Amino acid sequence: MSYKINPNMYASTFPIPSQIVDEDIKMVSPAQLKTLLWVFRHPAEEYDCEAIAKEIGYKDYDVRDAMIYWSGKGILMTGENEAPVRDVKITVEPKTETVKAKLPEIKQVGLSYEQIEARCKESPEITNMFNDIQKVLGKTIGYNGQSVLITLHDGYGLPIEVIYMLVEYCVSVGKTAFSYIAKVGRDWGEKEIDTIEKADKQISVLNECNGVWREFAAMAGIQNSKPTSAQSAYIRTWTTEMKFSVDMIYLAYEEAIDHSGKISFPYMNKVLANWNAKGLKTPEAVEKEKEEFRSRASQKKNDSSYDIDEFKRRADKLPVYKQNQ
């Protein structure tokens, strides 16, 4: 079945830039597209994000996210000293949220719309980062994504080029959720991975750990093709700090199964930490240590057992007392 435009529709139309279809339509979310359509349909109005949200059926922060996105793409312009496109003037309700300066876990939507907009005005490279990372992810990053990226840069001290490498690594392992990107970024911030060289080394370590996980998961019959962030931290400690092989990690897994009947990474960590303290780095060394322990336990048991014959001999020599009649 073929379709064509109803000619009667041309009686009431408004222009839309070709760029929207040629470059952006694959990337934008429904909320971003609907916001832009509303804006171009009302070119002479002063825009209130909350009012637009009610008309298009989305939340006000969805509209704010759309305004930031289209401003970054050059479709809309903001600022008192800039000539806006078709008299577009964006006004929003003020918020009182503040930027977190420490290295806590990044909260969902941690920054306000005004903070994100102000940061983009201060540093054009922030806007460029948003656009470049959208291409890496193959999707628009949204309001929460922008908040996470700015916090990685301003709060955790990661340079923009390091953030690019971080996001590319997350994409390579199939983890594109910003909750995961935030966790990896927090880890990098605490490790002070603030140069391309440090980031490259960290990615090499992470890729090695992912390879160890795949091998271990195959041996243990674990279906998860990728470890959780907590499991990755354990694997990284066991391989890079304790220098254990996959065989030793699997041996610790068997110890956990024998102990509790289920996999327990904290228990495995105790086992491996104990082996590491004793310098046991191979399955053969662990088995030898177990054999020596069994031998000592057996000897101790033999030393403490009674000699029945000797007991009888001593019993025969004991004096016998007769009961008084």
Side-chain angles (χ1 to χ4, degrees):
M1 180 181 294
S2 61
Y3 296 89
K4 62 181 181 179
I5 298 174
N6 183 346
N8 294 330
M9 293 296 100
Y10 287 111
S12 178
T13 61
F14 59 93
I16 291 291
S18 300
Q19 175 187 332
I20 307 305
V21 176
D22 297 342
E23 300 179 14
D24 301 306
I25 198 166
K26 289 183 179 180
M27 302 281 289
V28 297
S29 67
Q32 289 168 331
L33 185 57
K34 288 183 179 181
T35 298
L36 189 69
L37 289 174
W38 194 97
V39 166
F40 275 90
R41 178 64 181 86
H42 305 81
E45 298 184 20
E46 183 173 303
Y47 304 135
D48 180 278
C49 292
E50 186 175 350
I52 296 174
K54 290 180 180 179
E55 292 210 21
I56 67 175
Y58 283 88
K59 301 294 185 182
D60 60 337
Y61 56 76
D62 291 321
V63 175
R64 293 189 178 98
D65 164 49
M67 292 296 195
I68 291 176
Y69 175 77
W70 293 119
S71 296
K73 298 293 290 186
I75 302 297
L76 302 181
M77 298 180 69
T78 61
E80 296 178 356
N81 298 325
E82 298 176 351
V85 176
R86 293 181 179 82
D87 296 324
V88 171
K89 182 180 179 182
I90 302 172
T91 60
V92 294
E93 295 297 324
K95 290 190 175 181
T96 58
E97 300 170 44
T98 57
V99 179
K100 310 285 185 185
K102 307 184 229 180
L103 271 183
E105 181 178 352
I106 296 178
K107 306 281 186 185
Q108 290 286 340
V109 193
L111 303 181
S112 69
Y113 165 76
E114 288 80 5
Q115 290 169 331
I116 294 175
E117 184 182 31
R119 197 67 185 86
C120 290
K121 288 180 180 178
E122 292 170 357
S123 302
E125 61 268 20
I126 295 293
T127 301
N128 294 334
M129 176 178 67
F130 291 163
N131 293 331
D132 290 340
I133 287 179
Q134 284 176 151
K135 294 175 183 177
V136 173
L137 295 175
K139 62 180 181 180
T140 55
I141 59 177
Y143 180 47
N144 177 57
Q146 293 166 351
S147 178
V148 168
L149 293 175
I150 291 178
T151 304
L152 292 180
H153 181 56
D154 294 351
Y156 290 3
L158 300 183
I160 288 178
E161 59 271 19
V162 171
I163 296 175
Y164 286 150
M165 297 177 72
L166 185 155
V167 173
E168 287 174 348
Y169 163 75
C170 293
V171 171
S172 72
V173 297
K175 301 275 193 176
T176 58
F178 272 97
S179 57
Y180 185 84
I181 292 172
K183 288 181 180 178
V184 176
R186 183 184 184 188
D187 180 62
W188 285 28
E190 291 173 347
K191 288 182 169 64
E192 297 184 349
I193 299 174
D194 52 9
T195 65
I196 293 176
E197 292 75 19
K198 291 180 181 179
D200 186 62
K201 184 177 180 180
Q202 176 70 2
I203 290 172
S204 296
V205 170
L206 292 173
N207 285 334
E208 181 181 352
C209 292
N210 289 334
V212 170
W213 169 265
R214 287 191 293 270
E215 192 173 347
F216 163 71
M219 294 170 69
I222 298 174
Q223 298 300 317
N224 296 344
S225 60
K226 299 178 182 65
T228 65
S229 57
Q231 291 169 338
S232 293
Y234 279 121
I235 293 290
R236 196 158 57 247
T237 298
W238 300 337
T239 56
T240 62
E241 296 179 19
M242 298 183 184
K243 307 296 183 184
F244 280 122
S245 65
V246 178
D247 290 337
M248 289 295 285
I249 294 174
Y250 181 72
L251 195 60
Y253 161 78
E254 290 186 321
E255 292 281 338
I257 295 296
D258 291 341
H259 174 75
S260 61
K262 62 182 180 180
I263 184 172
S264 170
F265 275 75
Y267 186 84
M268 290 169 62
N269 188 58
K270 291 180 180 179
V271 172
L272 289 167
N274 180 49
W275 290 347
N276 185 60
K278 293 179 178 180
L280 307 177
K281 295 296 183 179
T282 65
E284 293 76 18
V286 171
E287 183 57 35
K288 182 179 178 181
E289 197 267 346
K290 287 183 177 179
E291 185 60 36
E292 291 175 351
F293 175 81
R294 287 192 291 265
S295 178
R296 290 193 300 271
S298 178
Q299 183 64 42
K300 185 176 180 181
K301 181 178 180 181
N302 291 334
D303 292 343
S304 62
S305 63
Y306 290 107
D307 187 329
I308 301 300
D309 293 335
E310 179 65 21
F311 178 77
K312 288 181 178 180
R313 285 193 296 270
R314 291 182 179 181
D316 291 339
K317 296 179 182 181
L318 292 176
V320 178
Y321 297 94
K322 292 183 180 181
Q323 185 177 359
N324 293 331
Q325 297 296 326

